[in-house]
Amino acid sequence: MNSEGVYVHHDYHRAILKAGGIPIILPPAPLHVISSYLDLCDGFILSGGEDVDPVYYGQIAHEKLGSVFAERDEFELTLTALLLKRKKPILAICRGLQVINVALGGTLWQDLPSQVNSPIQHSQTSHRSLPTHPVTISSHSQLAKIIKNTTINVNSLHHQAIDILGKGLSAVGHSPDHIIEAVEMKGEAFVVGVQWHPESMVPGCTEMSRLFSSFVNAASAHSQDEQNA
């Protein structure tokens, strides 16, 4: 996505379809539209894209900050707050993980290569479907129960990452250089965020397929609960 249009990689909607859901692409819109979006959809993916403007977490722009999209930032941060309030299922991916962290008062590393001493290339040059580094998952976490493992090899397509964790989030996945790679919220609501791009690994990775199936199932269950309320 950029200031001239909206772009969502086809891997997202293919992963949702494979998991039995119906994908709907929702572009940034005036904030009064959000209530209609909330009524329309049972669960929400916060997808990848531009950097989050550091003004939202109290920092000035680093020289390596990438492009930002002000309308998208305002829209998604407002949407996220309302999703959390209504306990709608959320699967936050890459930028989406960063958005939910900022929405909850956390901060980001604006540019890993220049700010963090790491031997890992987090912005890989190989095809996005290929894993390039491992992630260790906390054994007690919801994510570990979903993927049925405590280690997983993931792809990596980011230059920003969580620095200070947002309020209410638990860091449940880390790369070998200690970068936070996965978060979730305690409680009954499905709120899972991953720094990698599971949608692009779904065709050949059972663990990533389970993640999307769990999200779709959570959205369906939440819809039933709202109807019965």
Side-chain angles (χ1 to χ4, degrees), residues 87-142:
K87 298 183 178 180
K88 289 271 192 178
I90 301 172
L91 177 56
I93 294 173
C94 199
R95 167 191 158 92
L97 169 79
Q98 297 159 15
V99 166
I100 199 169
N101 190 64
V102 171
L104 290 168
T107 67
L108 306 176
W109 293 111
Q110 292 188 45
D111 182 63
L112 288 176
S114 60
Q115 292 183 297
V116 178
N117 183 17
S118 169
I120 294 177
Q121 184 182 38
H122 283 278
S123 184
Q124 70 188 54
T125 56
S126 54
H127 192 271
R128 63 186 290 128
S129 66
L130 299 175
T132 59
H133 72 74
V135 168
T136 301
I137 309 295
S138 299
S139 59
H140 64 277
S141 66
Q142 182 181 13

Side-chain angles (χ1 to χ4, degrees), residues 58-77:
Q59 294 182 11
I60 61 173
H62 186 274
E63 64 178 353
K64 297 293 186 179
L65 180 73
S67 62
V68 297
F69 186 177
E71 180 186 1
R72 184 182 184 186
D73 284 344
E74 181 184 25
F75 170 79
E76 289 189 351
L77 288 166

